[in-house]
Amino acid sequence: MDLANLLESCRAGDELAWEMLVRQTQSRVYGIAMTYVRDRDEARDLSQDIFVRVYRNLDGCKDADRFLPWLVRIARNACIDHLRRRKARPPARDIPADEALRLVAPDEAPDEEMERQARRRVVETALHSLSEINREIILLKDMQGLALEEIARLLNLPLGTVKSRSSRARLELAKAVQDLVGPAGAEATA
Amino acid sequence: MNTRCTAWEALLDAHLGGGLAADDAAFFRSHAAACDRCRDLLRLVSADLPALAGEEAPRLADSVIAVTSGPACGRAEALLGARPDGGLSADESLLLQGHLDHCRACADLALTLESALATVRELAEPELDPAFTFDVLRATSATRARKRGGALPRLADRFGAWWQGQAARPQFAWEVAFAATVVLVLLFGTPLSPARRAPAKALAAVQASPGWMIDTAGDLTGVAGERIGGVRQDVTERRNRTAPDRADLLRHGREAGAALLHGNFDTAAQRLRAAGGDLTRLWRDWRDDGSAAAD
C-alpha cells in the first residue's frame, strides 16, 4: 500500500491503516524526540503525544509527497513545546545521556554492540554540544533527510543560509567528536 | 630567434604529445636540424628530468605553499562540509582529494565526519518496544471517537489540550486566584454588583442565628428529654437516609475535579451533571421526610 492510499485510508478513519502508519513512522518520530529530550521514557511519552497531534491533524496533510516534512514539522513543534514546558517545570530527576542509549541489537556480538553504543554515545554528546540551530539542521538534513528547501521553510531561513550552515554544522560535529575522542577519533568512531 | 623559431616553438607541445600533422612534422624536423637554439631546446625538453626523491616533493610543496597562498585547509574544510550533499563539482572533488592525500589533519577530519554522519543516520530510527504502537493506538482511539462525534467534541478536544497546557504553567495558580478575586469583587464588592446585598443579608442571617438558637435551646430545655431524643433521632434518620446521596455527590465531585484537571471536559461536564442530580436528590430526601414528619 503506497503512502497516498495509506493516508487516505487513515483520513477515512481506517484503524488498520492508522496502525500501519504508526508502525512505519514510530522509530523516526521517536528518533526526533530523543534528539530533543535525550531521555528514553520522556521521548516515548513525547512520541505518543506527537502521534496524537498527527492523528488530530491528518486532514492537514493533503499531499503524500510532503508527508515526511509535515510529520517532522509536527514532531519538531511538539518537542519545542515540550522543552518550553519542561523549562518552566523541570522534571523531578535528571537522567544521564548514557542511559538514553540502551538500544537493543540482539543479533550483534557483545563487543560490536558495545562499540556501537560507545560510538553513538560520542556522537550524541557531540551533537548536543552544538548550537541549537546547527543541531536542528543536522537533525533535519542528515538524520531525517529533508531537502534543504524544506529545512529553509521549516526554520524560516534563507536557502543559502541553510546550505552554508549545514556545511558548517557537519564540520562542527566532526570537530566536536574529535574533541571528545582525540584526533584519531575516526578510528574510534569508525 | 626569428619568426620561424616562433612558429617552431608553437609546434613543440604537439610534437611532444605526438600529435603533429605531416606537413608540420616536416617543418618541425627541418627547422630543428637547421637552428642550433631550437635543437638545444628540443634536447632539453625531451630529456628525462631528475625527479625529487622520497619525502622531498611534499616538503617542497609545503614550503612553497607556506610562502605563497598559505595552507589550504580552510578551503578544504568548506568543501568537506558540503561533500555529503553531493554538491561538489568534479574539479572540486579532485582538488579536495588531492589535499586530503597530503594533509593528515584534514584526512582525519574527513574520516571522522564520514563516520559521525553514518552514526547520525543510525540515530534517526532507534528501536522501540512493541508496546509503543498499542499505546499510541489507545491514545488516539479517544481522539478518534471525538473526531467521529462532530465539530463540538473536536472543539472540546482542542480546548482540553489548551487547558492542559495552561494547567501545566507555574503561574496558573496565581492567575486563577487573581481571576477569582476579580470575579468576587465584581459580584459583591462594587455599588453596581448584582449580588451587592448578599453579604449584608448573610450577616443579618448570622446575627439572627443566636436568637433562634437561644429560642431553640430554651424550647429544648423546656421540653422533656424524649423531645431532644426525638430531634436527635430525626437528624440521624435524615443523615442515614441521605448517606448514599452524599457519597454519590462526593464521588462525582471528585471525578469532575480530576477530569477538569486533566482537561477532559466532556467527562467533567457529565460528572458535574451527575453531581447536580445527586444534590437535588439529597435535598429532596432530606426535606421530604422533614415535611412528612411535620405532617
Side-chain angles (χ1 to χ4, degrees), chain A residues 100-114:
Chain A
L101 285 158
R102 280 179 282 143
L103 302 170
V104 183
D107 53 342
E108 285 187 38
D111 282 356
E112 287 173 6
E113 175 57 17
M114 277 181 68

Side-chain angles (χ1 to χ4, degrees), chain A residues 10-15 18-19 22-24 26-32 34-35 40 43-45 47-48 51-52 55-59 85 88-89 101 103-106 116 119-120 123-124 127 138 141-144 148 163 166-168 170-171 173-175 177-178 183-187 189-190, chain B residues 74 76-86 104-148 154 157-158 160-161 164-172:
Chain A
C10 287
R11 277 194 287 268
D14 186 339
E15 290 90 346
W18 171 241
E19 182 178 348
V22 171
R23 287 192 193 284
Q24 282 181 2
Q26 61 185 19
S27 293
R28 186 182 287 272
V29 167
Y30 180 67
I32 295 173
M34 271 295 290
T35 310
R40 264 185 119 216
R44 197 179 185 285
D45 292 345
S47 305
Q48 196 168 307
F51 274 113
V52 172
Y55 191 80
R56 278 184 193 148
N57 295 292
L58 270 175
D59 293 337
R85 276 203 298 273
R89 191 171 286 189
L101 285 158
L103 302 170
V104 183
R116 204 161 70 109
R119 194 171 66 233
R120 286 183 172 185
V123 171
E124 248 233 350
L127 204 54
I138 292 213
K141 180 78 191 78
D142 298 303
M143 204 180 269
Q144 298 301 328
L148 289 169
K163 223 171 186 173
S166 164
S167 177
R168 272 209 303 276
R170 285 176 186 145
L171 279 176
L173 176 68
K175 286 178 179 172
V177 169
Q178 285 192 334
E187 285 89 10
T189 57
Chain B
E77 284 183 3
L79 293 180
L80 260 182
R83 188 162 68 166
D85 289 331
R104 175 72 190 269
C106 287
D108 273 354
L109 188 66
L111 274 175
T112 308
L113 177 62
E114 199 178 312
S115 164
L117 290 183
T119 308
V120 161
R121 281 188 282 273
E122 273 179 35
L123 290 174
E125 297 194 19
E127 291 174 36
L128 262 166
D129 57 297
F132 177 80
T133 314
F134 294 109
D135 288 346
V136 170
L137 295 177
R138 197 178 302 125
T140 49
S141 62
T143 312
R144 186 184 309 133
R146 284 168 193 280
K147 276 183 100 170
R148 283 177 180 166
R154 274 208 300 274
D157 210 28
R158 280 172 190 269
Q164 272 187 315
Q166 293 299 311
R169 291 168 53 237
Q171 302 97 322
F172 186 66

Side-chain angles (χ1 to χ4, degrees), chain A residues 52-72:
Chain A
V52 172
R53 280 194 193 201
V54 168
Y55 191 80
R56 278 184 193 148
N57 295 292
L58 270 175
D59 293 337
C61 181
K62 303 284 183 201
D63 186 0
D65 291 340
R66 296 186 45 77
F67 175 71
L68 177 61
W70 179 80
L71 177 70
V72 172

Side-chain angles (χ1 to χ4, degrees), chain B residues 61-84:
Chain B
D62 289 346
S63 55
V64 170
I65 287 165
V67 297
T68 52
S69 65
C73 296
R75 166 99 173 108
E77 284 183 3
L79 293 180
L80 260 182
R83 188 162 68 166

Side-chain angles (χ1 to χ4, degrees), chain B residues 169-213:
Chain B
R169 291 168 53 237
Q171 302 97 322
F172 186 66
W174 289 108
E175 288 168 1
V176 168
F178 179 77
T181 307
V182 168
V183 167
L184 285 174
V185 167
L186 288 176
L187 274 176
F188 302 107
T190 72
L192 298 174
S193 298
R196 61 188 180 282
R197 292 186 183 163
K201 282 182 184 173
L203 184 65
V206 170
Q207 284 170 341
S209 299
W212 173 83
M213 285 170 72

Side-chain angles (χ1 to χ4, degrees), chain A residues 123-147:
Chain A
V123 171
E124 248 233 350
T125 310
L127 204 54
H128 280 83
S129 71
L130 304 185
S131 65
E132 194 180 324
I133 183 76
N134 284 353
R135 187 166 61 245
E136 282 215 290
I137 286 180
I138 292 213
L139 162 75
L140 299 172
K141 180 78 191 78
D142 298 303
M143 204 180 269
Q144 298 301 328
L146 293 194

